[in-house]
Amino acid sequence: MDAVSLRQTARVIAHSSSLSVRNTFAAVPWWLWLAQVLLTSFFAMAFFAYVADFAQNPEVTVAYVVLGNAIQAVAMVTLYSVANLPAIEKHVGTMPVLISSPTGLFTIFVGMSLFQIMAGFLTVAVSMGYAVYLFGLDLSAMHLSVMVVVIVLTSFSMAGLGMMIGAIGTYLRTGMIIASVVSYIGLVLCGVNFPVHYLPDWLQPISYGLPLTYAVEAARLTAEGATLTEVFPQLRMMLLLGVGMLVASYFMLKGFERMVRRKGAYEAF
Amino acid sequence: MSPPEDAPPIVVERLTKVFPGKRKRPDKTAVDDISFNVEKGEIFGLLGPNGAGKTTTIRMLTTMLIPTSGVAWVLGKDVTKEEVAIRKRINLVSGGERGLYYRLTGRQNLRFFSELYGIDPKTRDRRIEELLQLVDLTESADQRVEDYSRGMKQRIHIARSLVNDPEVLFLDEPTLGLDPEIAREIRALIRRMAGMGTTILLTTHYMFEAEELCDRIGIISEGRLVALGNSLELKDSVNNATVIHVETREDPYEAIETLEGMDGVIHVNSDRVPGRFIVRIQVDHGSDLLTEVNEAMRGLRVLRIGYDEPTLEDTYISLVSGHER
Amino acid sequence: MNVRASYAAFRQQMTHFLTDPQWIIPSLIAPFMFTMVVLMIYQDVDGPVVLQAVLGGGVLGMWGNTLYSSGWSISYDRYNGTLEPLMTSPTRLMDVVAGRSVWNTLIGLSNAVLVFVIAEIMFRTGVGLANPAEFFFILIMTLASLASIGLVFSAFFVLTRASSVLMSSLEFPIYVVSGAMFPITILPDWVIPVSYILAPSWGVDAMKIAALDGYEGIGLGIAGSLAVMLLLTAIYIIMARWLFKKIERNVRSYGTITRF
């Protein structure tokens, strides 16, 4: 990629990310958006915290559940927003324009995801705050820098998954259905609220194919004071899965883009 | 105050609608003191540019909006207070493809809306069959509306608006965005309905459509009714205007600029057709400007020049642009 | 009430649901997955906890479905351009929404049954109801009260532009205070009154009394809880009427529904 096209790409990314910011706040005032980010993660956490509190299961403590949910919150914000991008475009009716622009869908979607990923970081910071100050999660042994790395990689790998779902969404009626199903599967399979070994044996391999499982594992280790080297295996898996999914989504988008152009599916939703 | 028993189906008196401005923006007067009547079985057209107040007028008459001042009676009932009584006996078609349940079939849509009007089941089933025949959709009645073509959607819209056998039918730009052939079908349908005694009020901004369909036309501009009558009367009402028709080979843009500034010229519009440019100059009656026009066209190859009868479009443009000044 | 129009709206909603399966997510899949998570956490705990979770799963499903489908009820018409023909018809908007709301609640019920069956197969919960007849009677009353909340929601959501945000923001708070998965008595004291103003909480409590031997709950007994629920339901219906009047007034005065 030469310098000119690199600058062009950067401009498209900057422009489309500011566009998605404006899109978000055109429909919803900023305070309501913030309230949603702050409250949704709180109540989701509270729900499972009370379940854990009521169950009195020694392995699944309130602290166990709230940490899992904090990570799940950032993972889901990223997944949904990235996966939803093509659907929003279709809804707004700009899809034909985007496809006919020389930049390609991939660059535009990367730009549009930036803001959402930032929102994801806000969510996780807030969720961790709830977990520590309201639900008694003990993070005194944690190295903050390690947790930051874990969270960035979590977001990255979930964005990869979201891109893949979004790519399918450009072709199918809506990627949101798949995104929701995947997010609920994540809730059950990835050790968010209870250890993976509770699951039937035949389900566990699926758990280890999903980046969220490693994210939650790494976060739990980090909370107990693990160093970067100690969580390296999990981080490596997230990175691998994230890159793999991004590459896959790139080719899927290219392929579907061609298919959309051939069949004109961007109007048929 | 209420109209006499034998009053026309639509009576509008000094109707005004002001929308309060949002967020410190000034109030917007969408409809400004308009009055007119529509007789039984008449096709009445409201003609005007976008944002002139056509849709707002229709919304007030269909009880969707409460007038800020003035009164309107539809079928002898007050649109502000007797909305339910009116709704049973009228119906509305809005242009465009929206306004149907896409996941339901054509027949299911008709059935659903029939139920909302409380049509008794026997009449309902018979009428649905008749309506499907009327709009020529009997064969695709059990297909989902999302699979319909534009023209089919528009036709099922019209069928939907007839489920309660309305005495007054409001059509808000019924041929908007339709290709000429489908638009022609829809117009034929409208005429057929008027022939059956339905009173029709329609809005459009297609001149020829108004001229072809409407018994009388009201021209509305910036919320005000600026002219009212049949198309001949309307043309006469701006009889002070004569039209000079010029056709040239070259682009006469300089000549147009000169003419626009000239005394006695009301309006100039030009059109480009393959091989020539057509300029229509509306001039004050009595001011014989043929020589001046000729002068302005000097240096251009003039293919034709002469006086012409004003068309409804000329009239419309002169009325609407006259109002803007 | 215009029963024929409501029934037509009920059928319309049914057709929509059956031809557009994406509603299955908020109404069936989500609560089902939550129930699975809760069952997993509860699996080593003895006693009627598991039955409580299964019952609770059904309640979550009914709630989630009421919230989402009713929230979209009028918004869908607005989006679809059908609000205009609906409003020009002589039928009151509330009667249309009421029919749809009843269908939505029934879908919630089907979710409850699904949770029941799956829990039975996967976890061998051995669910037996202490008083089946009473249980089903209360269930139907609870469904009715949920439908009335659906009416309030659909009117309320359509009055604000931010309805979709509100809708998804309300999901978990309602799950927390509904008393579905755990007794509301373990919540902080100041949260409990919120739970009490939600009519279905009382129905859930009554259902648990009928289903579980030795369950005491809020303490008003079946008859007392039912009475409170019916009273609250009546208040909801009055509120819904008022909100729908307001919608009609907004539309007719300003030409739009939302004014803020």
Side-chain angles (χ1 to χ4, degrees):
Chain A
M1 201 182 263
D2 60 76
V4 174
S5 67
L6 199 66
R7 209 165 62 212
Q8 172 62 16
T9 307
R11 271 185 49 200
V12 170
I13 290 182
H15 185 77
S16 43
S17 72
S18 84
L19 192 75
S20 85
V21 173
R22 265 180 285 148
N23 264 346
T24 307
F25 294 114
V28 176
W30 65 270
W31 55 268
L32 194 61
W33 178 85
L34 196 66
Q36 185 203 16
V37 168
L38 299 183
L39 291 178
T40 309
S41 47
F42 170 74
F43 279 104
M45 187 181 278
F47 176 73
F48 289 108
Y50 281 113
V51 167
D53 183 32
F54 181 60
Q56 297 291 324
N57 178 335
E59 203 170 358
V60 183
T61 59
V62 171
Y64 184 95
V65 166
V66 292
L67 181 58
N69 274 284
I71 297 297
Q72 148 98 4
V74 62
M76 289 312 136
V77 169
T78 321
L79 176 75
Y80 271 105
S81 7
V82 175
N84 194 26
L85 292 173
I88 291 176
E89 285 310 310
K90 251 198 250 188
H91 186 97
V92 177
T94 40
M95 196 71 154
V97 185
L98 285 187
I99 285 186
S100 62
S101 85
T103 320
L105 285 175
F106 189 73
T107 323
I108 291 166
F109 288 156
V110 167
M112 295 187 100
S113 336
L114 268 185
F115 165 68
Q116 316 287 3
I117 290 170
M118 290 300 151
F121 290 143
L122 174 68
T123 312
V124 76
V126 169
S127 304
M128 287 287 186
Y130 292 143
V132 171
Y133 294 106
L134 298 175
F135 296 103
L137 175 66
D138 180 13
L139 290 180
S140 52
M142 178 186 80
H143 301 290
L144 184 62
S145 55
V146 181
M147 192 56 105
V148 169
V149 174
V150 169
I151 286 165
V152 169
L153 271 179
T154 303
S155 209
F156 170 75
S157 61
M158 292 310 281
L161 185 57
M163 275 293 187
M164 244 166 78
I165 294 170
I168 299 170
T170 59
Y171 184 61
L172 290 182
R173 278 199 168 192
T174 163
M176 283 318 269
I177 296 187
I178 312 167
S180 325
V181 171
V182 169
S183 79
Y184 294 125
I185 288 175
L187 200 64
V188 176
L189 294 186
C190 296
V192 174
N193 287 298
F194 56 86
V196 175
H197 70 79
Y198 278 27
L199 291 166
D201 291 338
W202 57 272
L203 273 177
Q204 293 182 23
I206 305 178
S207 304
Y208 289 104
L210 293 168
L212 185 57
T213 309
Y214 301 99
V216 175
E217 233 175 64
R220 293 200 196 289
L221 292 172
T222 309
E224 285 161 15
T227 61
L228 213 46
T229 0
E230 285 168 303
V231 291
F232 182 69
Q234 282 83 5
L235 296 182
R236 189 179 51 195
M237 278 309 291
M238 276 195 270
L239 193 65
L240 272 175
L241 286 171
V243 169
M245 285 170 171
L246 274 179
V247 170
S249 72
Y250 178 79
F251 286 108
M252 283 161 84
L253 267 176
K254 280 264 167 243
F256 286 136
E257 199 176 323
R258 249 202 308 282
M259 214 146 32
V260 165
R261 277 168 56 199
R262 213 169 30 228
K263 295 193 178 176
Y266 39 71
E267 277 173 355
F269 85 108
Chain B
M1 187 170 71
S2 84
E5 276 299 298
D6 55 349
I10 300 178
V11 178
V12 177
E13 275 174 25
R14 312 206 62 177
L15 203 60
T16 300
K17 180 69 189 177
V18 180
F19 289 109
K22 276 189 191 180
R23 292 194 201 101
K24 291 181 187 166
R25 266 177 244 155
D27 290 358
K28 188 181 179 306
T29 306
V31 171
D32 192 0
D33 196 16
I34 64 173
S35 305
F36 63 89
N37 292 348
V38 181
E39 302 296 330
K40 185 165 165 48
E42 188 179 12
I43 304 184
F44 183 91
L46 271 181
L47 199 62
N50 287 329
K54 303 186 299 277
T55 300
T56 306
T57 306
I58 278 208
R59 290 210 160 141
M60 285 192 276
L61 295 179
T62 52
T63 76
M64 297 269 295
L65 279 176
I66 296 174
T68 311
S69 66
V71 275
W73 290 281
V74 172
L75 297 163
K77 311 277 181 202
D78 185 332
V79 295
T80 308
K81 295 178 210 126
E82 297 169 284
E83 73 272 13
V84 177
I86 293 177
R87 287 174 189 176
K88 284 183 185 153
R89 295 164 65 191
I90 63 162
N91 219 315
L92 162 74
V93 178
S94 302
E97 295 172 68
R98 297 164 80 247
L100 293 160
Y101 294 103
Y102 280 14
R103 299 276 153 88
L104 303 186
T105 65
R107 194 192 303 277
Q108 284 169 333
N109 267 289
L110 296 185
R111 216 186 126 109
F112 175 69
F113 283 102
S114 299
E115 293 295 301
L116 296 190
Y117 285 87
I119 317 284
D120 83 271
K122 254 169 124 181
T123 318
R124 175 196 68 201
D125 294 342
R126 180 174 45 80
R127 190 174 298 149
I128 288 177
E129 291 315 313
E130 287 169 3
L131 289 176
L132 286 168
Q133 256 172 28
L134 180 75
V135 297
D136 198 18
L137 283 172
T138 308
E139 275 171 32
S140 19
D142 296 310
Q143 240 170 292
R144 281 199 216 160
V145 171
E146 62 185 340
D147 297 327
Y148 279 17
S149 70
R150 258 190 178 190
M152 289 160 84
K153 280 176 192 157
Q154 205 75 356
R155 292 196 322 251
I156 199 79
H157 254 307
I158 292 196
R160 196 223 76 226
S161 74
L162 297 175
V163 293
N164 60 329
D165 198 10
E167 293 160 63
V168 181
L169 188 59
F170 294 88
L171 303 164
D172 194 3
E173 304 197 6
T175 59
L176 185 75
L178 294 181
D179 69 49
E181 197 169 335
I182 299 165
R184 192 159 53 226
E185 271 175 46
I186 300 288
R187 284 197 292 275
L189 200 54
I190 293 171
R191 261 197 302 273
R192 221 178 311 160
M193 289 181 304
M196 295 188 289
T198 313
T199 304
I200 293 172
L201 188 152
L202 69 87
T203 71
T204 180
H205 46 217
Y206 301 129
M207 239 54 61
F208 65 95
E209 183 166 291
E211 195 161 15
E212 188 187 322
L213 274 180
C214 300
D215 299 314
R216 279 189 310 145
I217 297 163
I219 294 182
I220 187 169
S221 172
E222 296 186 354
R224 302 191 71 98
L225 196 63
V226 292
L228 179 69
N230 63 35
S231 63
L232 285 177
E233 286 164 351
L234 285 181
K235 288 174 199 167
D236 278 350
S237 76
V238 282
N239 199 17
N240 53 345
T242 312
V243 172
I244 299 173
H245 180 110
V246 187
E247 290 179 20
T248 61
R249 188 67 80 194
E250 295 87 4
D251 190 349
Y253 63 96
E254 278 181 1
I256 291 173
E257 267 176 32
T258 320
L259 289 169
E260 274 175 338
M262 205 175 276
D263 271 350
V265 172
I266 299 170
H267 189 82
V268 184
N269 67 317
S270 64
D271 207 0
R272 185 189 182 148
V273 294
R276 69 190 118 169
F277 294 83
I278 298 175
V279 186
R280 292 176 70 81
I281 307 137
Q282 291 180 47
V283 296
D284 270 343
H285 197 55
S287 42
D288 185 2
L289 292 177
L290 204 54
T291 337
E292 285 83 349
V293 172
N294 238 327
E295 184 67 20
M297 297 286 169
R298 186 193 288 274
L300 303 170
R301 269 179 295 171
V302 175
L303 304 174
R304 200 196 129 192
I305 184 161
Y307 287 107
D308 207 351
E309 275 291 297
T311 62
L312 186 59
E313 181 156 4
D314 293 321
T315 311
Y316 170 80
I317 287 170
S318 129
L319 282 168
V320 169
S321 63
H323 186 72
E324 274 163 5
R325 270 178 213 163
Chain C
M1 189 176 156
N2 182 342
V3 177
R4 272 188 62 196
S6 297
Y7 178 63
F10 173 87
R11 285 183 42 136
Q12 178 223 17
Q13 186 76 352
M14 178 174 77
T15 318
H16 268 177
F17 185 89
L18 298 177
T19 53
D20 188 8
Q22 68 167 310
W23 288 117
I24 259 182
I25 292 165
S27 52
L28 291 178
I29 296 182
F32 176 74
M33 290 297 196
F34 295 144
T35 311
M36 288 300 120
V37 171
V38 174
L39 280 171
M40 283 289 185
I41 299 176
Y42 285 175
Q43 67 180 344
D44 291 332
V45 185
D46 288 332
V49 199
V50 169
L51 177 54
Q52 176 140 354
V54 173
L55 276 182
V59 175
L60 291 192
M62 293 192 283
W63 260 119
N65 198 58
T66 304
L67 188 60
Y68 280 98
S69 336
S70 299
W72 277 118
S73 204
I74 309 175
S75 309
Y76 176 78
D77 282 297
R78 195 153 56 152
Y79 165 84
N80 203 36
T82 33
L83 192 58
E84 208 172 44
L86 274 190
M87 297 213 49
T88 42
S89 85
T91 296
R92 295 282 176 201
L93 203 52
M94 180 160 157
D95 290 337
V96 173
V97 177
R100 293 177 182 168
S101 206
V102 170
W103 166 262
N104 295 338
T105 318
L106 284 183
I107 285 299
L109 179 65
S110 69
N111 171 66
V113 173
L114 182 74
V115 168
F116 229 76
V117 171
I118 304 256
E120 192 65 29
I121 294 168
M122 277 183 69
F123 295 88
R124 312 239 167 262
T125 43
V127 173
L129 297 171
N131 290 304
E134 260 179 340
F135 178 84
F136 285 110
F137 176 72
I138 305 163
L139 180 65
I140 289 168
M141 303 306 271
T142 309
L143 288 173
S145 87
L146 271 165
S148 73
I149 288 196
L151 272 181
V152 177
F153 280 160
S154 50
F156 177 71
F157 284 144
V158 85
L159 281 167
T160 137
R161 277 202 304 167
S163 57
S164 64
V165 170
L166 276 177
M167 232 183 296
S168 51
S169 304
L170 273 176
E171 184 179 4
F172 275 103
I174 283 181
Y175 289 174
V176 171
V177 298
S178 67
M181 286 300 187
F182 40 81
I184 51 174
T185 44
I186 69 170
L187 293 171
D189 288 343
W190 59 270
V191 179
I192 296 177
V194 180
S195 188
Y196 286 166
I197 59 169
L198 293 176
S201 309
W202 298 88
V204 171
D205 206 55
M207 267 193 281
K208 285 183 183 168
I209 300 175
L212 311 168
D213 269 327
Y215 178 88
E216 293 200 355
I218 303 172
L220 287 188
I222 289 182
S225 296
L226 269 183
V228 177
M229 181 168 76
L230 290 181
L231 178 70
L232 287 170
T233 304
I235 294 173
Y236 294 162
I237 292 176
I238 294 166
M239 268 171 70
R241 282 191 75 92
W242 180 78
L243 283 169
F244 274 98
K245 282 225 171 85
K246 190 171 168 60
I247 289 176
E248 171 125 9
R249 203 164 51 232
N250 277 5
V251 171
R252 292 188 69 202
S253 307
Y254 311 119
T256 67
I257 291 177
T258 51
R259 280 288 289 162
F260 53 92

